[in-house]
Amino acid sequence: MLMVTERLKFGAALVKYGLIDEGTLKKALALQKKTGESLGYILVKNGFVSQSDLIRFLEDKLGVNHAKLDNWMVDEDVLKLLSEDFCRKYKVFPLMRVGNTLNLAMVDPFDTFVKETVEDMTGCIVKPLVTTISELERAINKYYASSGDRASYKEEGSRSSILGVKLDNKDYEVNDAPIVQLVDRIIKNAIKDEASDIHIEPDEKVLRVRYRLDGVLHEVLSLSKNLEAPVVSRIKIMSDIDIAEKRVPQDGRIMYELDGRKIDLRVSTFPTVDGEKVVIRILDKSKMVMKLEDLGFTPTVLERFNKVIRYPNGIILVTGPTGSGKSTTLYAALQKINSIDKNIVTIEDPVEYKIPLVNQSQVNPKAGYNFASGLRSILRQDPDVIMVGEIRDYETAEIAIRAALTGHLVFSTLHTNDAASAVTRLIDMGVEPFLVASSVVAIMAQRLVRKVCPHCKEEVKLSPKMLEQIKTVLPPNVDVSSLTFYRGRGCEICKGTGYLGRTCINELLIPDEKIREMIVDKVPATKIKLYARQKGMLTLREDGLLKVVEGTTTIEEVMRVTQRDED
């Protein structure tokens, strides 16, 4: 989000030029999260830096001019662009309008949130200048008092007027322009930040907006509670959901267009004690399907997986929780084997990306078209390769496995923690063990870990306990103390997280004759996994630790995503 990026850039510059240290910046950012006030205002108000030093820094180092408001002659027509309450709350003052450019005095000229809000309210391009708090207050008292402009509304809530919405206690209509603009801005910002999901969550006192970035949720807005009903209703209207029904969960869909790109938004509402929660999954169909080589597989895993996806028949399963990149891996595999001489047919929920030459179909439960019925129809389409989005029940599992046994290569996914557990899951569904043993040619468990940000990458020392973990994946002759490990310090590009982008870690199980016998004998998954490890299979954690050694990710990140699987 731009607001986060700008404040971190401003803060980093202050540290770089010695006005504050890292500890002070962290304190100020923590206070900003609580109060919603701008970073510059917090630094001055709390005595972290003097107003004069800050202004001198902005002028000399960042080229922001100081507007000495006591010496300005202000055009009263410009005052009408912003209300007195708005100026007091956000520490700004309109000075002069030249064409479509508005000169705006700001206590914190790097507060992008306020700049964008003023631009939305006025239709002008904002040129920020810096001023002092005392100068600002004198100007507001002088000019707004003389103009007789006393705002008829009261704005409430930290940064809740993101688009200039006047937040008094009135009831907003869902099609009011500010509500339409607000929802549109929330969606646009999420897409630009490459978020995978938007969470709009009612609380007792506020409406919270969070984005899932690189698999982790980040709060980006805290809106006034009185915006809850119109915002949720607006999203319901856009996604063709019953606006009057608030007692049960509902699902909908929005086809959204941004900069010529068509983006599929999957909307889910859920009733809570504080109101309806909305989650929007973002599927950008304009994105290209990634290549297998770009997903982050270790060379050994890539070589073995490349081999099995070219088998003439059998079933290949990719397992893991929601959001672990299973669909991306399957798409990349289909892309790899895709050719004019193959008939590849899929049944998905939903179709996330379109692949040329591949016949892709989407389930429609309301019409009775599910994975099982779709798979039956696919078998009558003379397929060579079939992809089933997910095996959820016995019927789908049995049809998929029998298809694999009758000369088809079948790809699908399961929700299991590790590779070996996929075998027991199929058996628990009711599939005969001998059918599982005969049909399954590969199972790949997968997780996504965040990558160290290359822009703020720095060396880090690991604790003795962590070094012991690293030793488990290294050859005996490698001295772990000679290795260099990295973390991200946090910068404006990675939004202070220290991570940028994600890569996969994998656990690839390819059954041999012994494992097939174990499956038929219903041997527990733990024993199958132990045997596979003895034969050279890397577990999810071991594969992740190798990526720590490579400098791709951090050991904390690997532990976070593999905690349940290994401990």
Side-chain angles (χ1 to χ4, degrees):
M1 189 174 176
L2 287 173
M3 175 182 71
V4 178
T5 302
E6 287 291 336
R7 81 182 182 209
L8 286 170
K9 183 177 180 180
F10 180 35
L14 289 168
V15 173
K16 179 180 178 181
Y17 288 105
L19 262 73
I20 58 174
D21 55 27
E22 288 278 3
T24 301
L25 177 58
K26 287 180 180 178
K27 288 178 186 177
L29 290 173
L31 287 171
Q32 186 182 47
K33 191 172 183 181
K34 290 180 181 178
T35 65
E37 296 167 328
S38 72
L39 181 59
Y41 181 69
I42 286 173
L43 290 169
V44 173
K45 185 177 77 170
N46 290 276
F48 295 143
V49 64
S50 72
Q51 181 80 74
S52 58
D53 285 346
L54 182 61
I55 287 178
R56 194 177 304 113
F57 163 77
L58 289 169
E59 285 195 300
D60 295 345
K61 302 298 184 183
L62 301 184
V64 180
N65 292 329
H66 177 198
K68 298 178 180 179
L69 299 187
D70 294 337
N71 301 330
W72 272 78
M73 294 296 293
V74 179
D75 184 349
E76 289 204 2
D77 286 339
V78 177
L79 295 175
K80 296 175 183 177
L81 294 173
L82 300 175
S83 72
E84 178 183 353
D85 281 355
F86 184 92
C87 291
R88 288 190 186 278
K89 179 169 184 176
Y90 292 112
K91 308 294 183 293
V92 298
F93 189 82
L95 292 172
M96 180 175 64
R97 182 174 181 173
V98 180
N100 198 39
T101 300
L102 175 65
N103 288 276
L104 186 71
M106 306 175 67
V107 170
D108 185 351
F110 279 85
D111 193 329
T112 303
F113 170 87
V114 173
K115 285 192 288 184
E116 288 184 351
T117 300
V118 172
E119 287 177 343
D120 284 325
M121 293 171 68
T122 64
C124 296
I125 297 170
V126 168
K127 178 183 178 182
L129 297 91
V130 66
T131 188
T132 67
I133 296 171
S134 57
E135 285 177 318
L136 181 83
E137 289 177 348
R138 284 196 299 271
I140 292 174
N141 292 336
K142 175 182 176 181
Y143 286 100
Y144 279 100
S146 63
S147 69
D149 178 17
R150 294 300 177 191
S152 60
Y153 61 88
K154 182 180 178 182
E155 298 193 72
E156 300 172 353
S158 172
R159 294 181 172 265
S160 52
S161 61
I162 181 174
L163 293 170
V165 179
K166 300 178 181 180
L167 303 184
D168 55 14
N169 293 322
K170 64 172 278 190
D171 293 327
Y172 294 97
E173 299 295 329
V174 298
N175 291 321
D176 284 352
I179 297 299
V180 173
Q181 292 172 342
L182 172 58
V183 172
D184 191 58
R185 172 59 60 80
I186 289 170
I187 294 172
K188 277 184 179 177
N189 281 357
I191 294 169
K192 289 177 180 177
D193 281 355
E194 298 187 353
S196 61
D197 302 86
I198 304 169
H199 288 240
I200 298 172
E201 304 166 319
D203 206 337
E204 188 176 352
K205 296 180 179 179
V206 299
L207 182 67
R208 183 179 297 107
V209 180
R210 295 194 288 174
Y211 294 165
R212 188 175 293 280
L213 304 169
D214 288 337
V216 178
L217 282 170
H218 298 268
E219 183 175 341
V220 295
L221 276 178
S222 181
L223 300 170
S224 178
K225 184 71 173 175
N226 67 313
L227 286 177
E228 180 186 318
V231 166
V232 172
S233 296
R234 172 63 188 166
I235 295 170
K236 282 184 169 184
I237 289 172
M238 293 172 69
S239 52
D240 197 24
I241 291 176
D242 185 354
I243 193 172
E245 180 57 76
K246 301 178 181 180
R247 301 164 299 173
V248 297
Q250 298 186 80
D251 296 316
R253 180 181 179 184
I254 303 169
M255 289 306 297
Y256 194 84
E257 191 164 329
L258 179 65
D259 300 331
R261 296 150 53 201
K262 289 187 177 179
I263 296 158
D264 194 359
L265 305 178
R266 299 303 171 105
V267 179
S268 171
T269 68
F270 185 78
T272 74
V273 293
D274 292 314
E276 282 187 283
K277 172 173 176 169
V278 179
V279 175
I280 303 173
R281 168 62 59 88
I282 301 172
L283 302 174
D284 189 350
K285 294 190 175 184
S286 67
K287 287 186 176 180
M288 299 294 292
V289 175
M290 295 181 70
K291 295 180 180 179
L292 277 178
E293 292 80 6
D294 298 332
L295 296 182
F297 296 144
T298 55
T300 303
V301 170
L302 179 61
E303 181 184 356
R304 297 178 74 196
F305 193 62
N306 258 324
K307 183 178 179 180
V308 296
I309 64 176
R310 288 176 169 79
Y311 283 3
N313 61 279
I315 186 165
I316 297 171
L317 297 170
V318 180
T319 78
T322 301
S324 57
K326 300 186 298 295
S327 296
T328 300
T329 296
L330 288 181
Y331 278 126
L334 291 182
Q335 182 90 305
K336 190 75 173 178
I337 62 174
N338 190 16
S339 64
I340 195 68
D341 62 345
K342 285 190 179 73
N343 179 22
I344 302 176
V345 190
T346 76
I347 176 76
E348 307 173 52
D349 182 23
V351 174
E352 296 186 22
Y353 305 108
K354 188 72 182 74
I355 307 176
L357 291 180
V358 176
N359 306 284
Q360 295 172 264
S361 180
Q362 186 164 304
V363 299
N364 187 349
K366 291 181 180 178
Y369 182 49
N370 54 29
F371 282 125
S373 61
L375 188 49
R376 283 197 194 91
S377 298
I378 286 174
L379 291 174
R380 295 192 288 272
Q381 289 286 311
D382 185 32
D384 297 295
V385 179
I386 301 168
M387 186 184 92
V388 186
E390 184 183 345
I391 294 177
R392 298 175 179 172
D393 51 42
Y394 166 74
E395 188 177 13
T396 307
E398 190 205 20
I399 300 170
I401 284 176
R402 291 197 180 277
L405 291 172
T406 54
H408 304 90
L409 182 62
V410 181
F411 292 87
S412 193
T413 70
L414 275 177
H415 287 283
T416 62
N417 289 334
D418 58 14
S421 297
V423 170
T424 53
R425 175 63 58 84
L426 291 172
I427 294 172
D428 289 344
M429 284 181 181
V431 181
E432 291 291 342
F434 75 91
L435 291 176
V436 176
S438 303
S439 61
V440 175
V441 295
I443 307 168
M444 175 140 70
Q446 181 168 295
R447 298 291 185 277
L448 295 177
V449 294
R450 293 178 292 172
K451 296 192 292 184
V452 174
C453 175
H455 304 283
C456 59
K457 193 173 186 177
E458 64 181 12
E459 292 185 18
V460 63
K461 290 185 178 180
L462 300 186
S463 68
K465 184 178 179 180
M466 289 182 173
L467 290 176
E468 287 299 317
Q469 287 274 351
I470 297 292
K471 279 184 183 179
T472 62
V473 296
L474 296 175
N477 60 336
V478 175
D479 180 9
V480 69
S481 63
S482 66
L483 300 176
T484 303
F485 303 97
Y486 298 93
R487 69 171 182 183
R489 183 178 63 254
C491 64
E492 65 270 19
I493 296 175
C494 65
K495 299 177 175 62
T497 64
Y499 297 99
L500 191 64
R502 289 188 289 179
T503 190
C504 64
I505 58 174
N506 307 88
E507 179 179 294
L508 180 59
L509 173 63
I510 298 178
D512 60 11
E513 199 57 41
K514 174 65 175 177
I515 290 178
R516 297 188 191 285
E517 291 176 6
M518 297 170 81
I519 293 171
V520 172
D521 294 337
K522 295 185 179 181
V523 171
T526 51
K527 291 189 176 180
I528 295 176
K529 184 174 184 176
L530 180 61
Y531 171 80
R533 290 185 68 188
Q534 292 169 352
K535 289 293 183 178
M537 182 188 80
L538 290 175
T539 67
L540 286 164
R541 178 167 291 181
E542 289 168 342
D543 193 52
L545 291 175
L546 286 176
K547 287 181 170 60
V548 174
V549 174
E550 293 170 359
T552 303
T553 187
T554 65
I555 194 167
E556 293 86 358
E557 183 70 0
V558 172
M559 295 299 179
R560 178 181 70 85
V561 302
T562 62
Q563 192 72 35
R564 186 177 175 186
D565 310 303
E566 304 289 338
D567 293 345

